């Protein structure tokens, strides 16, 4: 199985695209909904929670885990890759979502002015800014943290009027920083669940990147370059869902987001 981890429902936007690109692969999704949002938590806590989740996915039999969460990718990925994996099992892999997203910017932007919205943790970590500077030194990155967006999704309010208020306010605050922003990164995997609202307030000339598709393409490429990992992936088109919240609550909201029945199991990390 390929493990897919997020603090809550956001990783489903990545899982959807992964299943589209790798329809035969088996997936195990883990949402730490009971402790979401991660975006306002300290570096140490995000690292600790993410490592617990990765260990659980390894114990369940995953050889490859995708951190389908920008906050966890920003705050925990490097430590897990460099400090923990060599002790746990050097043959296993944990991959994040930030690097592939930044790689896609070159083809997307003409002005080199990039807009980024994300959780307070992702924005404060400067992970995107640093990667963008490394890969595209001429580009400029404009950022804005949106602390209310993840709670709106986690509480099932993504389609409500409250969501309109915050999305309009936050998109306005981001775009007012430069008239030349032509590419928008939704730097949080929860945000595509607010896409109908976001599209209402983003002008037509601004391209909104589909992070799920970018990450899925990048994983297909990774598996092509790593046949030893590809060979470990079981292929029966099965998906299991684990959540640290009530299973019935997760199943109801996840079914709504994915447009197909989800039957989740509750676990303790
Ligand atoms: N989906 C997570 C991300 O991509 C949300 C973080 C949170 O729980 O605040 O950043």
């Amino acid at each position: 199985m390929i493990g897919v981890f997020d603090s809550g429902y956001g990783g489903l936007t990545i899982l959807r695209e992964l299943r589209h690109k790798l329809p035969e692969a088996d997936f195990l999704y883990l949402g730490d909904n009971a402790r979401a949002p991660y975006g306002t938590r300290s570096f140490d806590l995000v690292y600790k929670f993410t490592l617990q989740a990765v260990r659980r996915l390894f114990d369940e039999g995953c050889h490859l885990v995708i951190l389908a969460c920008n906050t966890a990718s920003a705050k925990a990925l490097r430590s897990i890759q460099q400090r923990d994996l060599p002790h746990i099992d050097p043959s296993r892999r944990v991959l994040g979502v930030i690097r592939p997203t930044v790689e896609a910017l070159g083809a997307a932007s003409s002005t080199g002015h990039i807009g980024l919205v994300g959780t307070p943790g992702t924005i404060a970590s400067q992970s995107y800014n640093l990667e963008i500077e490394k890969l595209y030194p001429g580009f400029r990155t404009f950022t804005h943290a949106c602390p209310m967006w993840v709670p709106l999704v986690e509480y099932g309010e993504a389609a409500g009027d409250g969501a309109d208020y915050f999305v309009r306010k936050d998109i306005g605050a981001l775009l007012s920083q430069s008239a030349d922003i032509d590419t928008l990164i939704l730097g949080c995997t929860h945000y595509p669940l607010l896409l109908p609202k976001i599209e209402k307030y983003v002008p037509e000339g601004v391209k909104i990147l589909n992070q799920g598709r970018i990450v899925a393409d990048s994983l297909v490429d990774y598996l092509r370059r790593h046949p030893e990992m590809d060979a470990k992936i079981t292929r029966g088109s099965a998906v299991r869902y684990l959540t640290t919240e009530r299973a019935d609550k997760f199943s109801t909201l996840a079914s709504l987001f994915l447009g197909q029945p989800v039957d989740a199991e509750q676990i303790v990390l």
Side-chain angles (χ1 to χ4, degrees), residues 6-7 37-39 69-71 119 150 188-190:
D6 181 48
S7 62
Y38 279 15
C69 174
N70 290 266
T71 309
T119 66
V150 170
C188 171
T189 55
H190 280 68

Side-chain angles (χ1 to χ4, degrees), residues 102-207:
V102 170
E103 282 172 0
L105 289 175
S109 178
S110 321
T111 62
H113 280 215
I114 309 299
L116 168 72
V117 281
T119 66
T122 298
I123 299 300
S125 76
Q126 299 262 318
S127 300
Y128 271 100
N129 309 55
L130 296 172
E131 282 292 335
I132 293 171
E133 264 166 42
K134 248 190 280 168
L135 280 186
Y136 306 106
F139 279 22
R140 290 187 62 192
T141 311
F142 301 88
T143 66
H144 182 72
C146 309
M148 287 303 293
W149 292 19
V150 170
L152 284 165
V153 171
E154 287 292 314
Y155 287 102
E157 285 292 334
D161 294 344
D164 266 294
Y165 172 81
F166 286 106
V167 170
R168 187 178 59 233
K169 178 166 96 71
D170 289 323
I171 290 293
L174 175 75
L175 296 180
S176 69
Q177 297 177 48
S178 163
D180 292 329
I181 293 173
D182 69 348
T183 305
L184 175 62
I185 303 173
L186 302 181
C188 171
T189 55
H190 280 68
Y191 293 178
L193 296 168
L194 289 161
L195 197 59
K197 305 277 186 202
I198 297 168
E199 281 172 338
K200 255 164 80 176
Y201 302 109
V202 171
E204 251 179 37
V206 178
K207 194 177 295 167

Side-chain angles (χ1 to χ4, degrees), residues 23-24 62-63 67 77 86 90 92 112 115 125 144 148-149 163 165 187 195 208 211 217 222-223 225 237:
E24 287 167 5
C62 301
H63 288 265
L67 298 186
L77 179 64
R92 308 224 183 187
S125 76
H144 182 72
M148 287 303 293
W149 292 19
Y165 172 81
L195 197 59
I208 304 173
Q211 189 173 47
D217 284 340
Y222 176 86
L223 293 174
R225 289 183 289 109
S237 304

